[in-house]
Amino acid sequence: MAETPATPARAFRLGVAGPVGTGKTSLIGLLCRELADEIEMGVVTNDIYTDEDAQILRAAGVLEIDRIRAVETGACPHTAIRDDVTPNLIAVEDLEADHGPLDLVLVESGGDNLTATFSPALVDAQIFVLDVAGGGDVARKGGPGIARADLLVVNKTDLAPYVEVDVERMLSDASDARDGGPVIGLSRHDRASVDALTDWVRRMTAAVREGRHTPVDPGPMAPHSHADEDGNVTVHTHEHGHGHDDLVPGRAV
């Protein structure tokens, strides 16, 4: 008789990143509505100065209120998902301590740029989210987030006619930018695309549970700049001083 796989010591941690307004919070809400009856879930959201995303999900009733935790990063969003992941790790671990064992914890980054990647010290796999309203050319611009996340989602495809975007072209560009890595065009109004997303999450959850997926580093963020309140611009990079290796993302076998 085949042995039943042991319950993992901790939940599968899935990061969700992408620029502001691409629909990260709504995607997480969709996953909670679709999967909460079959998968034990929790959510950790990131905002710079508020807990607004957590409040949106709590108000929507997608999970029990206490299964949705908020981290106020107080700095650039990528700082809390890559450079110093301690506040997020504490939030995830507290969530699991209070409600575990959990199968899946979704960690939502604050809205960031095309270079945003999670540290493998925080998540086991990551989804990067674009949307058609951001422009049909965004996918082919590339960057670590687009190229190396475990899954790229092109969201809000139902809006394409209103913003004059060729969805098929955008998806093709995205596939090229990812060397054929998985890409899903998503609309919450399109059942087939919702099923494709939830199926990917189910399969990745099973792969992590069964030890068939190893988290690795998508690579450092590209050089980028930030302007302060006085308009002064600082350009900086995130190098390997944090102990990360420049590797492509792991894939489920």
Side-chain angles (χ1 to χ4, degrees), residues 51-175:
D51 62 352
E52 184 170 344
D53 286 346
Q55 293 291 359
I56 289 170
L57 292 171
R58 290 168 182 156
V62 297
L63 289 177
E64 297 172 28
I65 288 176
D66 194 50
R67 289 191 182 220
I68 302 168
R69 306 290 173 90
V71 170
E72 294 181 30
T73 63
C76 302
H78 50 256
T79 300
I81 66 169
R82 183 168 186 87
D83 300 328
D84 180 7
V85 301
T86 304
N88 272 305
L89 280 177
I90 291 172
V92 171
E93 290 169 0
D94 286 349
L95 185 59
E96 291 191 74
D98 292 342
H99 296 282
L102 297 175
D103 299 307
L104 172 64
V105 175
L106 296 159
V107 182
E108 179 190 2
S109 170
D112 212 321
N113 56 40
L114 301 181
T115 68
T117 57
F118 285 83
S119 167
L122 176 58
V123 302
D124 303 299
Q126 49 198 288
I127 296 173
F128 198 82
V129 186
L130 300 177
D131 75 304
V132 298
D137 62 339
V138 175
R140 62 176 175 267
K141 292 183 178 180
I146 290 173
R148 301 173 190 166
D150 297 270
L151 175 67
L152 177 66
V153 171
V154 177
N155 200 13
K156 308 178 188 176
T157 56
D158 53 301
L159 297 182
Y162 306 102
V163 292
E164 299 182 349
V165 168
D166 182 336
V167 171
E168 293 306 317
R169 169 76 181 276
M170 191 171 181
L171 293 175
S172 177
D173 289 343
S175 182

Side-chain angles (χ1 to χ4, degrees), residues 4-88:
T4 302
T7 300
R10 63 169 179 79
F12 165 36
R13 299 168 183 180
L14 177 59
V16 180
V20 173
T22 55
K24 298 181 296 297
T25 304
S26 62
L27 184 147
I28 287 175
L30 176 66
L31 287 174
C32 291
R33 291 187 188 93
E34 293 288 325
L35 297 175
D37 288 342
E38 59 183 277
I39 294 177
E40 291 293 330
M41 301 175 68
V43 174
V44 173
T45 67
N46 282 204
D47 279 303
I48 296 178
Y49 299 120
T50 72
D51 62 352
E52 184 170 344
D53 286 346
Q55 293 291 359
I56 289 170
L57 292 171
R58 290 168 182 156
V62 297
L63 289 177
E64 297 172 28
I65 288 176
D66 194 50
R67 289 191 182 220
I68 302 168
R69 306 290 173 90
V71 170
E72 294 181 30
T73 63
C76 302
H78 50 256
T79 300
I81 66 169
R82 183 168 186 87
D83 300 328
D84 180 7
V85 301
T86 304
N88 272 305

